[in-house]
Amino acid sequence: MNNLAAAPKTRIRFEPFHISEEKRAQVDGKRWKTGTSSAQFLNDHIFSTEGDVDTVGSKLFFFHCREDARSADIWQHLKDRKDIKVVFLNRRNLLDRHFSDLRAQKSGIWHPKTGSDWSADYAEAVEIKVNIPRMMNQLNSLYATLHNVKRDFKDHDVLNVTYENLAPRSEIILSKVKAFLSIEDTGMQSPFRSGTLTSETLRILNKKEIVDRLRASVFSRYLDTSAVLREH
């Protein structure tokens, strides 16, 4: 996102619809409020092209603006707007996404601090015991949500990017995204810092039970590519 925002004639809003109201990015000095129209906020403050701007956009997670019907009107609005371009960024391995969330919750560190020592504040080993029924519910929910949202945008101009491809090929993928969005490619302004999810940085106490449960599920394919479980 930092690299896109640094491009000429481009304005990117980071998280104006964050689930935590106090963490929502202010736009034009205003902060979107739960229970009001997210679609109107989008049109009035994010999709505005005032000034020397050719490309505007925003970061939006699938679970944003889902608090109530009024808050959620952005989703139907975006579905109806066939003139916008959509970049989906997801993990191909949803199991690792769940593990990454658990690790962040346990450590309290979701992103490395700007200017900080990467290994010191982000790569420390974390030990957890996974709630397996909750894990299965989360995998089912993630899979259904991804499927449904992608179906809603099947008639849009869409570029799919996976974290697994972005991490080792960040400059190539970034150039591809800029070309898709018709943004001038001035190279990478800030380095992409991949996460540190490995079997060393995340120690799962009930790993065998997880593997046994997944082998009997429709998500068994995640075992071979998981950064944490693939040694099994």
Side-chain angles (χ1 to χ4, degrees), residues 134-145:
R134 191 176 298 159
M135 176 192 74
M136 296 306 298
N137 287 338
Q138 184 71 1
L139 289 176
N140 282 306
S141 177
L142 287 171
Y143 185 84
T145 300

Side-chain angles (χ1 to χ4, degrees), residues 80-94:
D80 294 339
R81 287 282 304 267
K82 300 299 191 295
D83 59 318
I84 64 171
K85 292 185 176 183
V86 179
V87 178
F88 284 126
L89 172 60
N90 300 292
R91 278 190 184 268
R92 188 182 300 119
N93 191 312
L94 298 180

Side-chain angles (χ1 to χ4, degrees), residues 163-202:
Y163 177 85
E164 287 86 348
N165 284 338
L166 179 61
R169 304 170 59 234
S170 55
E171 290 192 52
I172 294 172
I173 299 299
L174 177 62
S175 293
K176 187 176 181 179
V177 171
K178 286 182 176 179
F180 173 73
L181 297 175
S182 300
I183 293 175
E184 181 182 346
D185 192 352
T186 56
M188 184 168 284
Q189 305 301 312
S190 59
F192 174 76
R193 297 176 122 189
S194 61
T196 56
L197 189 69
T198 69
S199 56
E200 286 74 38
T201 60
L202 181 63

Side-chain angles (χ1 to χ4, degrees), residues 17 37 75 89 207:
F17 302 107
S37 172
W75 292 102
L89 172 60
K207 190 178 290 188

Side-chain angles (χ1 to χ4, degrees), residues 30-47:
K30 300 182 183 299
R31 182 178 283 126
W32 175 69
K33 293 187 177 299
T34 301
T36 65
S37 172
S38 52
Q40 183 176 345
F41 189 90
L42 178 80
N43 287 331
D44 291 348
H45 302 290
I46 297 173
F47 279 175

